[in-house]
Amino acid sequence: MKTLRAILAFFVFIGTGIAKQSWRKCEFSRGFVKMMTKRILIVDDEEGYRKVLLNSLSDSGYETKAVKNGFEALEEIKRQRYSIILLDVKMPGMDGIELLEQIQGTRVTSHAHIVIITAYTDQDIAKEAVRMGAKKVITKPFSMDDIATCLGEL
């Protein structure tokens, strides 16, 4: 029976074109193949960036949520598991580096890819963020092609 399920999953996987979309995966749930979409948390104090990222990534098939600061991000991370966190560095209250310090070594960093988004070109900030667990650094202003390329590499 398990072999039959695996074969069925393979054909569903190939037949729906999911094999070309690395941001999805299959899992069994009570005998059915279930598609899982990557969940992205957007953390940025600038409403314009939040809206553009939220809308564009949602239109691309990602499940997205946007918050405006590190404190809201911590609460959201406690409520929901995310596979990718797009994190601005400079925000009022708790900035991106402080948030990284808070979540470093927790279950969040064990399963979430953290991408730093910053308007600062200071290499020390980028090096510090990567040292603390960030996988990528994207400089503002960015294009959605930059974001898509980055997400495709994760």
Side-chain angles (χ1 to χ4, degrees):
M1 187 66 171
K2 286 184 180 184
T3 303
L4 182 59
R5 280 192 213 162
I7 291 169
L8 177 62
F10 176 77
F11 284 112
V12 169
F13 186 77
I14 297 302
T16 59
I18 301 299
K20 296 176 184 170
Q21 300 174 6
S22 62
W23 49 270
R24 292 188 187 246
K25 65 179 182 180
C26 290
E27 77 174 26
F28 288 106
S29 175
R30 295 185 187 174
F32 296 99
V33 178
K34 180 176 158 186
M35 300 303 176
M36 302 296 291
T37 303
K38 282 193 177 178
R39 197 173 283 129
I40 299 177
L41 178 62
I42 300 158
V43 186
D44 198 315
D45 62 319
E46 295 182 54
E47 186 177 6
Y49 279 111
R50 280 196 318 269
K51 283 184 176 180
V52 166
L53 288 167
L54 190 70
N55 293 332
S56 296
L57 293 171
S58 292
D59 289 348
S60 296
Y62 293 97
E63 185 178 325
T64 58
K65 171 79 177 184
V67 296
K68 61 185 175 187
N69 60 50
F71 296 112
E72 289 181 10
L74 273 178
E75 290 303 312
E76 186 58 33
I77 289 167
K78 289 176 188 174
R79 276 192 293 270
Q80 186 68 52
R81 186 175 179 155
Y82 290 89
S83 50
I84 299 169
I85 300 172
L86 300 178
L87 179 59
D88 186 19
V89 171
K90 191 71 172 167
M91 296 180 289
M94 181 187 303
D95 68 21
I97 299 299
E98 290 174 283
L99 179 59
L100 272 174
E101 287 174 359
Q102 292 279 326
I103 63 175
Q104 188 177 25
T106 66
R107 70 172 179 80
V108 174
T109 54
S110 67
H111 67 266
H113 297 288
I114 299 170
V115 177
I116 295 294
I117 299 176
T118 182
Y120 299 97
T121 56
D122 185 356
Q123 290 298 318
D124 291 338
I125 291 174
K127 287 178 185 175
E128 179 70 8
V130 170
R131 185 190 67 74
M132 296 176 73
K135 301 290 184 206
K136 300 273 184 184
V137 177
I138 296 177
T139 305
K140 290 180 182 178
F142 55 81
S143 70
M144 286 312 296
D145 286 340
D146 296 333
I147 298 293
T149 299
C150 175
L151 296 179
E153 293 172 355
L154 297 176

